Structure formats: C-alpha cells, structure tokens
Amino acid sequence: MSYLALARKWRPRNFGELAGQEHVMRALTNALETGRVHHAFLFTGTRGVGKTTIARILAKSLNCETGVTATPCGKCAACKEIDEGRFVDLIEVDAASRTKVDDTRELLDNVQYAPTRGRYKVYLIDEVHMLSAHSFNALLKTLEEPPPHVKFLLATTDPQKLPVTVLSRCLQFSLKRFPPGMIMKRLTEIAQAENLDFEPDALRLVARAAEGSMRDALSLLDQVIAFGGAKLTAEDTRTMLGTLDRSQVFGIIEAVVSRDARKVLDCVAQLDERAPEYRDVLAELAAVLQKVALLQAVPDLELDEAEDIDAFRRLATTLTPEDTQLFYQTAIIGRRDLELAPDSRAGFEMVLLRMLAFGLADAGTSAASTTVPTPTSVATGSTSRSAPAATARPQKASAVATEWSAIVAALNLNGPVSQLAAHSVLIGREPGKVRLNLDAEGETFRRPALEEKLAQALSAYLGEEVKLEINTVGAASDTPARQQRAAADDRMQNARRSIDEDPNIRAMRDVFGATVQPDSVRPSE
Ligand SMILES: [Zn+2]
C-alpha cells in the first residue's frame, strides 16, 4: 500500500469538516440550499488555508449524482472522481505556473461548451492575479456573460492586484489563517486516528511552525514522522524544524529583567551551541514581548499559548508596560540592523545589552524593582563602593549608571562632547527620547552643538533617532566621570586595605609585636 500524504488523506471532504472557515461554509451552504449559487467566487487568503479544498467540496455539491446539495454523498462516481482530483469538469489552473497566454485563452475558449460528465463545469483559477492582461480580458468577457453551466472559483493571495472589473463581478470571501490552537486540535485528532505515539508538545511545535496553514501543518507532521520514527517527541520535532527552544527565549528575557548582564551573555552562549538564525531569535523575542504587552493591556486575555502561559504571565507582571514596549522596539530595530553588525551573534548581544542599558531605567516605577537581585556588570566600572551616596541608592540605579558608562565608552567620543557625556547620568528612555541628568561640573559643556553631537552618536548606537532631554542638577551621582574617580579611589583604598588586612602580615605583626617565638615562624609556601 502506497503511503498517502496526510494533507491529502485528511483533506476535508464536506462543509461539515471545514473547520475554521465557518463564514464561507455558511454562505455556500445557504446558496446551495436555496439554489442560488453565484457564478463567480473570489477566495483571498494565504497558502494552505483551504482554497482548493473548498473548490472541490463546491464542485461535489454541484455535481453529486444525488442532486445539487450542501451535503454531497461522497460515494457516487462524480464525488469520488472529484476527491481523487480526476474529474473532467473540475478544471484547476494555477495562473502562477501557467505563463503561456494561449493555454489560458484556450481554456477560457472552452468555457462555452457544456460539461462532459456533470451538471456544472467548475473552474478553479489559483493565483488569478498572475494572469496576463490578455487572459484577464478573456476572463472578464466570460464573467460578464457567464454560461449557465459554469462556476468560477478564483483564488488569490494578493487581491489588490486584481482589476476592479473582475472584483466587482465576484462574490468575495477572505479565508482566515488557522490559529495554532485549531491546528493543534486537528493534528491531535489525526495523530490519534493514525495511532501515532506522540508528545503533545511535538504537535504544538508543528502547529506553531505551520503559521496558519493547515496544509503546511500536515506536511510538517509527515516530515516529523519520517524523521522521528516510532514516537513523535518534542526534541526530535524541534531538531527537525530547527525551532528555537522557547524556554531559551524566556530565559534571555528573564535575565534582562533581572539586569544580570553575565547571565544574559551565558544565555546567548548556550543558545549559540545550536547555531540559530539570530534574525529568527529576535523575531521570536519580539513575538513573546508582543504577547506580554497584550497580557498587560488585557490581563485575562485568552492566549493561544497553553504550554507557556505561566511564563507569559510571569513576564507580564515583572516587566512594566513601558519596558515591554522598549524591549519590543529594541528587538525589531535590532533585527532590521542585524546585517550591519560585524557578525550576527555580536549584533544579537548588542541588542540585549541595549535592552539592559535602557530598560528599567526609571527606578521606582518598576514592579520588579524590589526583586532585582544584585547586578553584575559587563562594564569595567565598580558597582560596590563604600561611598555614602552609593550605599544610600538602590543597587539598580547603580547598575543603570554602570551601563551608561559602558555606552559612553562604546560611543568613542572625543573632546568636549565626551565631557558632556561623562558628567551625565541616564535617567530614562522613551521612544525617540533619552533623558539625562547633568551635574554642575558638566554645565560648561552644555552647548547646543555638543548636545546635538551626543544625540547623533546615541541615535547611531541605538539604531533609532533620539533627542536629548537634559536636566541640570547640582550633583548627579554616578556619572561616568565620578565612577572613574571612585574606581581610582577604590583601587587606592583596596591596595591599602589589602596590605592592612592581609592575614599573613597581620599574623606577622601579631607575632612580632607580642609573643615572639622565633622558632614558631615558618617560611611561607
Ligand atoms: Zn455524490
């Protein structure tokens, strides 16, 4: 017995099985039951949403030997031949592959002849917008005066390219993409009927990869079966599809939220072992953030993401809506600019560091602010100082300041503009705007030309046109300039302290200062 592809084997054979396109089903059923079937239909929608399937069901409805019916028998010769794709009066044309004008013209010339086998000739012209101008004219002429025994089913992915004269003569239906949940349901039914041993997660991955196309979903399922053998596992499916492990994307976002730069880079290193397409990873990152934003706007929204719903809800409460927007924007801009990066992993890392630098910048507004763990830093600046100003501030502010120092270093500024940046601290970022506080020492550098220069450098770094909003404050703590000074002080203090506190030296002092027992002193190893 030859293997029949699942997409063909499980193609819906009547309107009742046509899940997901109920609006089309109802209209066609009504038309068939009242005997008023329009002579031309236009179905719009992407690939694999059921255009050919609907055309075949309609052809059966019109030609079934039991009479014109919304419920064709599926058993008579006409029904069988249509199901098997060999019914002479169902003429399927793919305009995308049929380039010769003559073929189409010949086809349309034959329209006037009566059907050979059935009651109606049904023409299914797929990608009808690809017809040549000449063929369009021939088609239009037929549509203007359609012979009573002919039905036209036109399908296109691009209705904008159709002339109004054609559009106005068709009854138009837009076919919807199938939501992943519905594909998942169908895949489960089929897998059970086929007695497959499967992990639900495997089917979920397939459902998501199909991007709304039921046909693609079934073809992918075929491939997974061929790849994985006896049992369909999520792991095999992921390998076969080359899909990213979603949990890794959540891991990255959570590392960014916790402001843990080292953890972020560790996540990237782990991800890199699978040699992913970083463009796709950024797309996935943006997709997750988009859903987080939806949940923040409508908390009880039903997401079609049963398996990851807890992770989505967790992010929706720990991220502020502003940060969600910023991260989303950073991800899509980063995706656009990825090809400009030295290599895609480096570009990806920069996008994440940018999120770290600019997200969560407004201390106190974030729900996460109380749960932020001790930040680690990729920058060279010191984050643990003993200066009173530093201990009085929440640690998060310190991390933001550190990131700002890292950015200023990355901007590679020279001359007075570098002083303007060095005496500023990052306060916050909104789309199109970066807010800075400038300390008293920096005021002499506050000149329009320098501000403009800094804004340009930041715009280039962020991949987005930004304006600066600078507030002069008496003493901005944690400016890059201060951090450098503090780091220098730290090194000095540390050096002194380390000599002071060195256990050996202390021991020696104790030993030499008090109870001197010369023979108890041993040479150090
Ligand atoms: Zn029949």
Side-chain angles (χ1 to χ4, degrees), residues 64-66 72-76 79:
C64 177
E65 288 169 13
T66 64
C73 75
K75 295 191 183 81
C76 69
C79 283

Side-chain angles (χ1 to χ4, degrees), residues 23 45 108 121 123 126 161 183 209 215 264 303 425 450 469:
H23 60 303
L108 292 169
K121 282 216 269 203
Y123 284 81
D126 204 1
K161 290 200 180 134
I183 297 183
R215 186 177 60 214
V264 170
L303 276 191
V425 278
L450 296 181
E469 185 187 297

Side-chain angles (χ1 to χ4, degrees), residues 449-460:
L450 296 181
E451 286 183 29
E452 181 55 32
K453 227 175 184 175
L454 182 56
Q456 279 172 8
L458 275 171
S459 300

Side-chain angles (χ1 to χ4, degrees), residues 257-322:
V257 172
S258 67
R259 308 205 46 76
D260 189 337
R262 186 167 312 278
K263 202 162 128 202
V264 170
L265 295 181
D266 285 348
C267 286
V268 177
Q270 215 179 4
L271 187 68
D272 200 62
E273 285 168 17
R274 284 173 175 264
E277 281 290 342
Y278 283 101
R279 268 182 68 78
D280 298 346
V281 183
L282 282 173
E284 188 65 29
L285 208 66
V288 166
L289 290 165
Q290 182 258 342
K291 290 198 165 127
V292 169
L294 288 181
L295 274 182
Q296 287 171 335
V298 186
D300 58 350
L301 190 73
E302 289 276 325
L303 276 191
D304 210 349
E305 296 285 355
E307 76 269 40
D308 294 325
I309 193 68
D310 290 343
F312 276 111
R313 292 206 184 285
R314 204 164 54 235
L315 282 178
T317 50
T318 51
L319 271 170
T320 63
E322 293 76 23

Side-chain angles (χ1 to χ4, degrees), residues 106-152:
E106 184 194 336
L107 192 97
L108 292 169
D109 280 347
N110 290 333
V111 165
Q112 62 197 38
Y113 301 119
T116 317
R117 286 268 287 107
R119 266 175 233 110
Y120 291 95
K121 282 216 269 203
V122 179
Y123 284 81
L124 170 63
I125 307 181
D126 204 1
E127 296 301 351
V128 64
H129 66 274
M130 306 278 280
L131 285 181
S132 65
H134 190 96
S135 301
F136 258 131
N137 287 336
L139 176 64
L140 193 59
K141 234 178 93 200
T142 321
L143 289 179
E144 277 168 352
E145 292 170 47
H149 58 266
V150 171
K151 301 292 175 197
F152 278 101

Side-chain angles (χ1 to χ4, degrees), residues 171-317:
L171 206 56
Q172 196 171 330
F173 290 103
S174 76
L175 297 179
K176 293 180 283 191
R177 283 164 178 267
F178 297 98
M182 178 170 282
I183 297 183
M184 172 70 189
K185 187 164 163 273
R186 181 80 178 139
L187 289 177
T188 309
E189 286 165 9
I190 291 174
Q192 282 163 352
E194 294 275 334
N195 281 320
L196 296 174
D197 188 8
F198 64 94
E199 293 175 3
D201 272 348
L203 299 188
R204 240 176 237 124
L205 288 165
V206 170
R208 206 154 55 206
E211 294 182 348
S213 160
M214 194 65 88
R215 186 177 60 214
D216 285 359
L218 294 180
S219 308
L220 287 173
L221 185 58
D222 269 331
Q223 290 176 42
V224 176
I225 293 169
F227 180 89
K231 186 170 166 72
L232 306 184
T233 66
E235 184 58 36
D236 281 350
T237 308
R238 205 170 276 133
T239 311
M240 206 283 297
L241 296 170
T243 4
L244 199 63
D245 188 346
R246 233 314 163 73
S247 63
Q248 289 187 306
V249 174
F250 284 117
I252 288 171
I253 299 177
E254 273 158 13
V256 171
V257 172
S258 67
R259 308 205 46 76
D260 189 337
R262 186 167 312 278
K263 202 162 128 202
V264 170
L265 295 181
D266 285 348
C267 286
V268 177
Q270 215 179 4
L271 187 68
D272 200 62
E273 285 168 17
R274 284 173 175 264
E277 281 290 342
Y278 283 101
R279 268 182 68 78
D280 298 346
V281 183
L282 282 173
E284 188 65 29
L285 208 66
V288 166
L289 290 165
Q290 182 258 342
K291 290 198 165 127
V292 169
L294 288 181
L295 274 182
Q296 287 171 335
V298 186
D300 58 350
L301 190 73
E302 289 276 325
L303 276 191
D304 210 349
E305 296 285 355
E307 76 269 40
D308 294 325
I309 193 68
D310 290 343
F312 276 111
R313 292 206 184 285
R314 204 164 54 235
L315 282 178
T317 50

Side-chain angles (χ1 to χ4, degrees), residues 385-425:
R385 281 196 309 285
S386 50
T391 46
R393 263 192 329 278
Q395 288 216 295
K396 201 176 73 164
S398 208
V400 171
T402 310
E403 304 292 352
W404 174 243
S405 289
I407 292 169
V408 171
L411 293 178
N412 258 328
L413 301 168
N414 286 313
V417 67
S418 72
Q419 290 303 308
L420 179 64
H423 286 286
S424 303
V425 278

